[in-house]
Amino acid sequence: MNNTIRDYVANHFEEALQSGCITVCYEPVLRALTNKICSFEALARWHDPERGEILPRDFIPVLEEINKIHLLDHFIAKTAIQALHTRQQQDLPIVPVVINLSRRDFCLSALLRHPEHQRAHRQNRQRPRLASLQSRDGPDREMRLRAG
């Protein structure tokens, strides 16, 4: 990665997060045997007004390097949980959501201990297994969020 994009990400990430340039999109995960959607994966997308699309492969390593990845993980988890809650309130079909975390956030479980997420789960009364956390390093490190 060139220093220009690295510096841009490092200097503009928090502003992009606050201004809505970073969004969560939901990519369907299909069950191989049935070819039907079994879950969605919550993914970050950065739509920058100056640079256009900034790819996750460009911004995630920078955020990990500058110790700001937890801000992205928090944003994605909060947004996905709110979306599930909204669908639940509107009696719309619910499909589980996989939330990828940085290895550090996953291992430390800091995100799960964050008071705002614990409160959101209690308030939203999420059904078990509606959201699962997975390390960006692979599905072998997976943890389910359960209603509490």
Side-chain angles (χ1 to χ4, degrees):
M1 170 187 326
N2 66 44
N3 282 340
T4 306
I5 190 73
R6 186 217 171 277
D7 292 343
Y8 189 85
V9 168
N11 293 324
H12 292 87
F13 167 70
E14 290 183 69
E15 175 187 335
L17 194 60
Q18 293 171 358
S19 68
C21 291
I22 296 176
T23 60
V24 176
C25 74
Y26 299 92
E27 185 173 300
V29 177
L30 301 176
R31 188 172 313 280
L33 294 174
T34 63
N35 206 30
K36 293 188 179 187
I37 295 173
C38 60
S39 65
F40 285 94
E41 186 174 9
L43 303 170
R45 295 293 180 255
W46 187 337
H47 314 279
D48 192 83
E50 292 178 33
R51 294 188 170 252
E53 294 293 314
I54 299 178
L55 300 175
R57 71 172 183 236
D58 292 332
F59 65 84
I60 289 175
V62 175
L63 297 178
E64 289 174 338
E65 177 188 332
I66 63 173
N67 296 317
K68 291 189 177 179
I69 192 68
H70 67 282
L71 298 173
L72 181 64
D73 288 347
H74 175 82
F75 171 75
I76 292 172
K78 180 180 176 182
T79 302
I81 290 167
Q82 287 174 340
L84 284 169
H85 178 63
T86 299
R87 292 187 67 80
Q88 191 174 22
Q89 284 183 319
Q90 296 173 352
D91 286 329
L92 294 172
I94 303 290
V95 177
V97 175
V98 175
I99 302 166
N100 293 312
L101 299 179
S102 69
R103 182 181 208 65
R104 182 179 358 170
D105 283 344
F106 185 83
C107 291
L108 296 177
S109 299
L111 190 65
L112 293 177
R113 289 192 304 266
H114 193 286
E116 187 173 333
H117 288 291
Q118 291 176 349
R119 187 171 42 258
H121 278 292
R122 282 192 303 275
Q123 289 173 347
N124 294 340
R125 291 180 174 69
Q126 293 294 319
R127 297 178 198 155
R129 297 186 181 212
L130 287 184
S132 69
L133 299 178
Q134 175 175 295
S135 169
R136 284 191 187 92
D137 297 326
D140 56 316
R141 308 260 336 219
E142 189 170 331
M143 179 185 333
R144 300 271 182 209
L145 287 177
R146 298 193 182 269

